[in-house]
Amino acid sequence: AKVNGRKQTCFYNETMSRDLARRREIEAELRSAIQKDELSIFFQPIVDLATGRIRTFEALVRWFHPEKGELRPDEFIPVAEETGLIITLGNWITAQAAKAAAQWPEEVTIAVNLSPLQIKAPGAALGIKNALREAGLHPSRLELEVTESLFVDDNCATETFMEELSDLGVKFALDDFGTGYSSLGYIQKYPFSKIKVDRSFVSGPNVGKKTDAIIHAVAELGSKLDMAIVAEGLETIEQVRTVREAGCTLGQGYYFSRAVPDYLAAMLLAQEDED
Ligand code: C2E
Ligand code: CA
Ligand code: CA
Ligand code: CA
């Protein structure tokens, strides 16, 4: 057993150090990626399921690495969080997103993802307010998406941050609902105006009667609490029909559009006005 144990330790150490090396590399490169203009923000529409019109664009960060190619946020956001770079990166993302949104019609809003670390950092609300002011974007046109992981430690900085910004008109969306520590208490305690039902309830191996019932229940909760319910990850017309019939008011997913660069987002909006 001892020998086995040693072998296993050895195996884990190898993968761990390879992982660590990759992370170190990403960390070092991420520091200069912003300056080198390798990062950009893409925009994915969130559509009104009753009218088909675009109501919001979600800002999703992309890194076009000269050698590694396109890196997904799932690969570098965690590194940015571990190293604290997420603060600089996050402020940059919010600023870029706000600038793009300032070009759109007034009724279209922009949704930005925030890591828990960004919210708990000192001066977090100021970073958001600066981005809005510099872009000339009204706070009511900004939505901040947070996940339930924000609430694992009951931090009063979170409450202060959310209250301060929602007093200005900024909206909050509870992202990936159903995947984490879903507690209805968060919905009651914090000023959310939107719930985003995770895509695992819409597509994938677990979808069936049970997930249908859950979507129905969440949609009903939303209508009673005056919250919009977004179904994420809609890829087919059948999925769109299902979530609409269940009572979801908004939808997002490849069925409508992938995340696109800012000029294409503007074109999607211009096209709508022609109809
Ligand atoms: P998320 O906030 O849940 O964003 C939705 C993800 O689902 C995006 O992946 C989007 O491209 C993908 N998606 C949208 N529609 C479909 C669909 O129909 N089918 C499938 N299979 N996927 C779909 P992406 O861009 O790779 O982002 C992954 C995650 O990285 C995001 O999940 C979010 O948690 C994080 N992230 C992205 N951008 C940022 C950012 O600017 N800041 C922070 N803190 N996190 C970000
Ligand atoms: Ca999101
Ligand atoms: Ca999500
Ligand atoms: Ca997610």
Side-chain angles (χ1 to χ4, degrees):
K2 219 175 176 185
V3 176
N4 252 342
R6 237 181 239 146
K7 259 190 195 154
Q8 253 184 6
T9 317
C10 185
F11 170 75
Y12 283 126
N13 279 343
E14 265 172 39
T15 31
M16 269 167 58
S17 61
R18 222 181 304 136
D19 217 48
L20 199 68
R22 167 109 180 155
R23 282 178 170 237
R24 285 246 172 83
E25 215 175 282
I26 288 178
E27 179 191 345
E29 291 170 344
L30 191 54
R31 288 183 193 278
S32 60
I34 301 177
Q35 278 89 18
K36 288 195 220 145
D37 217 20
E38 290 171 13
L39 293 171
S40 54
I41 312 295
F42 274 41
F43 301 90
Q44 188 180 32
I46 299 175
V47 170
D48 187 323
L49 290 174
T51 63
R53 285 185 76 88
I54 297 171
R55 295 272 297 272
T56 305
F57 279 102
E58 179 175 3
L60 295 163
V61 65
R62 297 285 179 263
W63 182 359
F64 299 95
H65 192 284
E67 287 114 42
K68 295 190 180 75
E70 184 183 334
L71 295 174
R72 303 291 288 183
D74 289 328
E75 192 161 15
F76 60 88
I77 292 288
V79 179
E81 285 173 338
E82 280 165 29
T83 53
L85 276 173
I86 190 68
I87 307 295
T88 314
L89 180 61
N91 282 333
W92 180 83
I93 291 167
T94 309
Q96 295 298 306
K99 266 185 218 156
Q103 309 300 313
W104 304 335
E106 244 168 47
E107 65 276 12
V108 181
T109 56
I110 177 79
V112 176
N113 292 284
L114 289 191
S115 298
L117 269 173
Q118 277 176 270
I119 293 170
K120 291 167 187 169
L126 193 65
I128 306 284
K129 286 191 272 185
N130 283 342
L132 288 169
R133 203 193 45 236
E134 272 160 37
L137 191 76
H138 194 274
S140 62
R141 294 183 60 199
L142 177 67
E143 258 169 47
L144 298 174
E145 298 195 358
V146 303
T147 61
E148 291 151 334
S149 64
L150 178 63
F151 305 112
V152 283
D153 56 335
D154 209 3
N155 193 311
C156 71
T158 301
E159 217 177 328
T160 312
F161 175 89
M162 289 181 74
E163 292 295 342
E164 182 178 351
L165 290 174
S166 68
D167 283 349
L168 292 177
V170 174
K171 309 284 193 303
F172 284 90
L174 187 53
D175 202 0
D176 299 350
F177 187 75
T179 58
Y181 315 84
S182 304
S183 153
L184 298 176
Y186 305 140
I187 295 172
Q188 193 186 28
K189 183 170 177 191
Y190 298 98
F192 287 108
S193 57
K194 201 180 255 188
I195 294 174
K196 300 187 80 177
V197 180
D198 190 70
R199 95 164 168 262
S200 58
F201 291 89
V202 170
S203 62
N206 300 318
V207 168
K209 262 191 191 156
K210 273 193 195 173
T211 45
D212 256 21
I214 292 169
I215 294 178
H216 263 97
V218 176
E220 193 172 319
L221 186 75
S223 87
K224 290 202 170 127
L225 296 178
D226 221 8
M227 296 169 84
I229 307 298
V230 189
E232 292 190 292
L234 299 174
E235 294 181 355
T236 68
I237 183 68
E238 288 78 19
Q239 291 164 353
V240 173
R241 285 199 189 110
T242 305
V243 299
R244 193 173 48 208
E245 275 155 27
C248 294
T249 46
L250 299 168
Q252 178 179 11
Y254 298 163
Y255 175 76
F256 299 109
S257 170
R258 289 181 182 255
V260 297
D262 58 355
Y263 65 91
L264 280 183
M267 276 176 64
L268 288 176
L269 290 171
Q271 254 169 25
E272 280 192 328
D273 282 338
E274 286 166 15
D275 309 333

